[in-house]
Amino acid sequence: VPTHVFLNSAVVPVGRARISVLDRGLLYGDGLFETLRTYGGKPFALRAHLERLRTSARLLGIRVPARPWERDIAALLRRNRLHARDAWVRITLTRGPARPGLLPPARTQPTVIMTAGAVDPGLVTAQRRGATVVLLPFARRGFLAEHKVLDYLPGMLGKVIAASHSAFEALYVDSDGYVTEGTTCNLFVCRRGQLLTPPAVEILPGVTRRLVLALAAADGLRIVERRLRVADVRSAAEAFLTSSVAEVVPIVRLGKRRLGTGKVGECTRHVQASYRQLVDKMVNQRSTI
Amino acid sequence: VPTHVFLNSAVVPVGRARISVLDRGLLYGDGLFETLRTYGGKPFALRAHLERLRTSARLLGIRVPARPWERDIAALLRRNRLHARDAWVRITLTRGPARPGLLPPARTQPTVIMTAGAVDPGLVTAQRRGATVVLLPFARRGFLAEHKVLDYLPGMLGKVIAASHSAFEALYVDSDGYVTEGTTCNLFVCRRGQLLTPPAVEILPGVTRRLVLALAAADGLRIVERRLRVADVRSAAEAFLTSSVAEVVPIVRLGKRRLGTGKVGECTRHVQASYRQLVDKMVNQRSTI
């Protein structure tokens, strides 16, 4: 459990970090979030995350407060003794407290919360040896699935199902039989020298997904953005997950069945190496992605 | 703005009603709510609302605390000086605060919040003269649409669109062209002596919807639960909305077009009268619905 969180303008002990029960983030899910990685105390791709936050906030009509984000994050990490470690930071933005009623008032004082934690050491094992994923009988749908809104109930249920199968992640399958994304990751498949991933429609357009696509294009990989059927995933030579926190995690088992050879393949290793290079480069130069 | 809210075990001044920023209701939308009407201080259909809350809480694995709900509601109304008025009460239940992470811990201390307010006097006008509704280019979808989960972003956006057209309510239209429900109401249509309403699949199964169906059946009306296309609503002789707070509100305009005669029709008046009778009866006998 974190000892300190950032609330609106300052880092405070978690026991004193309290918000009004009339906060619209709580009552209506009226808010957004971003989760990013820090490497040795430096946030990675902060600019890309803030850009996505601002785009979604514009849609919802929520003002994003001007903050010295890097300094706030540094203070939060220091107070949690995470500044020298690999950690994650979550930025939560809500419309703030208001008089009850679904229609939001014209002006509110948004709530900003930042939480942080150490990256789970089990993740390194998953990155090296590959992970098991399971398929879910449901998906997130609609245009709001493209925004990192507070509501994560489908993801919560997905994680419960994944945990009950000792799986690392669960993949959504929509009612048309397409595998859309994981609960907190995007999905890629390697097939016949091509890198395939679902288009960023009715899925979360991940920052890491975008970076992996750019790196793969630069490396001369053939990229196809198209919807993936369950059979496309089952018959893939390789598949992997991407997210800011998990980076690139190979999928080696789909439920009880092996995916491909059941070992981490060449295409995935290549993407992992390119991503690692980018991280190292950006962190050493102070990231401006 | 309410002066007092109920939080976990007691009625407290709203300024002192604060919850942890680690509450899963806020961070993940991990919770549920119910909104019910009170008439002269007495909650209507409390049992039905609690039953729906418990059913959904079982799905999510959230424990519903045992509370003397009627007494808690009475105390909340009294402190807000709403005990002699027509009011609404919202019960919000979250999984409570927990260590960050999408997978919920096995045991948490759920958070219970109750808020209350006076019923908007404009509602009486809408019930008498009928209301304008607009159609939305999106819908809530999936099995979670059948549960009163905290996330109401589609509804929030719907209410913003309704307000921009000075409409009372907005109706969801899914990508297949079916009108599913309003942002906070269920939809009924009267056509050729039949009462039609979408089946309770991927919509919120309203308590008032269920009561209206039971009353209509008892009155010998022909009821058909089937999906409604936009054309079915446009060509309806009459249509109305139901919800616990709004009760039965006639629809007399669909956007800029008149619905039916543009006046409140006989079928709707009949349903309103039956519902009013039920409310009077139950409130006088102390409701056990």
Side-chain angles (χ1 to χ4, degrees):
Chain A
V1 186
T3 59
H4 291 75
V5 303
F6 177 91
L7 180 57
N8 291 326
S9 59
V11 178
V12 294
V14 70
R16 282 195 358 233
R18 301 174 90 74
I19 60 159
S20 168
V21 297
L22 299 187
D23 195 286
R24 292 182 54 97
L26 174 75
L27 294 182
Y28 308 113
D30 196 357
L32 299 158
F33 76 100
E34 287 292 330
T35 305
L36 48 91
R37 265 292 289 264
T38 65
Y39 297 91
K42 294 177 188 172
F44 180 66
L46 175 60
R47 197 190 281 190
H49 284 282
L50 289 175
E51 191 180 290
R52 184 170 64 184
L53 183 69
R54 288 194 190 101
T55 303
S56 295
R58 246 191 314 271
L59 171 83
L60 300 184
I62 299 178
R63 188 170 52 82
V64 181
R67 290 294 320 166
W69 295 103
E70 285 204 48
R71 219 197 310 158
D72 292 342
I73 290 170
L76 175 68
L77 293 175
R78 229 178 298 117
R79 293 289 285 278
N80 282 291
R81 295 168 185 271
L82 290 167
H83 51 289
R85 300 175 64 180
D86 287 353
W88 56 262
V89 171
R90 174 175 155 143
I91 304 172
T92 304
L93 171 73
T94 82
R95 196 184 301 271
R99 177 199 173 95
L102 199 43
L103 187 69
R107 288 193 71 82
T108 58
Q109 184 69 42
T111 301
V112 177
I113 298 159
M114 287 200 284
T115 43
V119 169
D120 181 356
L123 191 58
V124 179
T125 314
Q127 288 173 343
R128 271 192 210 142
R129 299 194 195 158
T132 300
V133 302
V134 292
L135 298 178
L136 297 171
F138 58 84
R140 293 163 72 231
R141 290 294 289 268
F143 70 101
L144 283 173
E146 293 168 27
H147 300 274
K148 228 164 155 59
V149 300
L150 294 180
D151 175 51
Y152 255 61
L153 276 185
M156 187 277 288
L157 292 170
K159 285 287 191 206
V160 169
I161 292 168
S164 75
H165 291 84
S166 305
F168 174 79
E169 175 61 302
L171 301 175
Y172 293 123
V173 181
D174 71 19
S175 51
D176 300 321
Y178 292 101
V179 187
T180 57
E181 60 185 333
T183 65
T184 60
C185 295
N186 287 116
L187 172 70
F188 286 80
V189 153
C190 312
R191 278 184 77 189
R192 300 185 198 127
Q194 290 185 334
L195 193 60
L196 296 113
T197 195
V201 177
E202 300 204 14
I203 66 163
L204 207 285
V207 169
T208 311
R209 173 186 178 280
R210 186 147 59 90
L211 293 176
V212 162
L213 284 175
L215 290 170
D219 288 349
L221 274 169
R222 272 188 64 201
I223 295 162
V224 183
E225 289 188 66
R226 74 157 170 87
R227 297 198 291 171
L228 297 172
R229 295 205 164 272
V230 171
D232 294 325
V233 182
R234 279 203 210 286
S235 66
E238 301 179 36
F240 58 86
L241 303 165
T242 62
S243 86
S244 294
V245 176
E247 302 170 314
V248 180
V249 171
I251 301 174
V252 293
R253 298 190 78 84
L254 203 60
K256 300 195 171 180
R257 296 165 60 165
R258 221 155 47 186
L259 192 136
T261 62
K263 305 233 180 276
V264 182
E266 214 177 309
C267 168
T268 307
R269 286 262 182 250
H270 184 84
V271 172
Q272 283 185 315
S274 298
Y275 190 74
R276 174 57 49 187
Q277 265 182 16
L278 179 75
V279 168
D280 289 345
K281 197 171 133 188
M282 288 299 140
V283 168
N284 291 332
Q285 294 177 1
R286 307 232 4 108
S287 160
T288 50
I289 298 174
Chain B
V1 186
T3 60
H4 291 74
V5 304
F6 177 91
L7 179 57
N8 291 326
S9 58
V11 178
V12 295
V14 71
R16 280 192 4 231
R18 300 175 90 76
I19 60 157
S20 169
V21 296
L22 299 186
D23 196 288
R24 291 182 56 97
L26 174 74
L27 293 182
Y28 308 113
D30 196 359
L32 298 159
F33 75 100
E34 289 291 330
T35 305
L36 47 90
R37 265 294 288 260
T38 65
Y39 297 91
K42 295 177 188 173
F44 179 67
L46 175 60
R47 196 190 281 190
H49 284 282
L50 289 175
E51 191 180 291
R52 184 170 64 183
L53 183 69
R54 287 194 190 100
T55 303
S56 295
R58 247 191 313 272
L59 171 84
L60 300 184
I62 299 178
R63 188 170 53 80
V64 180
R67 290 295 320 167
W69 295 103
E70 284 205 51
R71 220 197 309 158
D72 293 341
I73 290 169
L76 175 68
L77 293 175
R78 228 177 300 116
R79 293 288 287 277
N80 282 291
R81 297 169 186 269
L82 290 167
H83 52 287
R85 300 176 63 180
D86 287 354
W88 56 263
V89 171
R90 172 174 156 146
I91 305 172
T92 304
L93 170 73
T94 83
R95 197 185 299 272
R99 176 199 173 96
L102 200 44
L103 187 69
R107 288 192 70 81
T108 58
Q109 185 69 41
T111 301
V112 177
I113 298 159
M114 286 200 286
T115 42
V119 169
D120 180 355
L123 190 60
V124 179
T125 314
Q127 289 173 342
R128 270 193 210 142
R129 298 195 197 157
T132 300
V133 301
V134 290
L135 299 178
L136 297 171
F138 57 84
R140 291 165 72 231
R141 290 293 287 270
F143 69 101
L144 284 172
E146 293 168 27
H147 300 274
K148 227 166 158 58
V149 300
L150 294 180
D151 176 52
Y152 255 60
L153 276 186
M156 186 276 287
L157 292 170
K159 285 287 192 205
V160 169
I161 292 169
S164 74
H165 290 86
S166 305
F168 175 79
E169 174 63 301
L171 301 175
Y172 294 124
V173 181
D174 70 20
S175 51
D176 299 322
Y178 291 102
V179 188
T180 57
E181 60 187 332
T183 66
T184 59
C185 295
N186 288 116
L187 171 69
F188 286 81
V189 153
C190 313
R191 278 184 76 188
R192 299 186 199 124
Q194 289 184 333
L195 194 59
L196 298 111
T197 195
V201 177
E202 300 203 14
I203 66 163
L204 209 284
V207 168
T208 311
R209 174 186 179 278
R210 185 149 58 92
L211 293 176
V212 162
L213 283 175
L215 290 169
D219 287 350
L221 274 170
R222 271 189 64 201
I223 295 161
V224 183
E225 288 188 66
R226 74 157 169 87
R227 296 198 291 171
L228 298 172
R229 295 203 163 273
V230 171
D232 293 326
V233 181
R234 280 203 207 285
S235 65
E238 299 179 35
F240 58 85
L241 302 165
T242 62
S243 87
S244 294
V245 176
E247 301 171 316
V248 180
V249 171
I251 300 174
V252 293
R253 299 190 79 84
L254 203 59
K256 299 194 170 182
R257 296 165 61 165
R258 223 159 41 189
L259 192 139
T261 61
K263 305 231 180 277
V264 183
E266 214 176 309
C267 169
T268 306
R269 287 259 183 255
H270 184 85
V271 172
Q272 283 186 315
S274 297
Y275 190 75
R276 174 59 46 188
Q277 265 181 17
L278 179 74
V279 169
D280 289 345
K281 198 170 133 188
M282 288 299 143
V283 169
N284 292 333
Q285 293 177 1
R286 310 247 339 119
S287 161
T288 49
I289 298 176

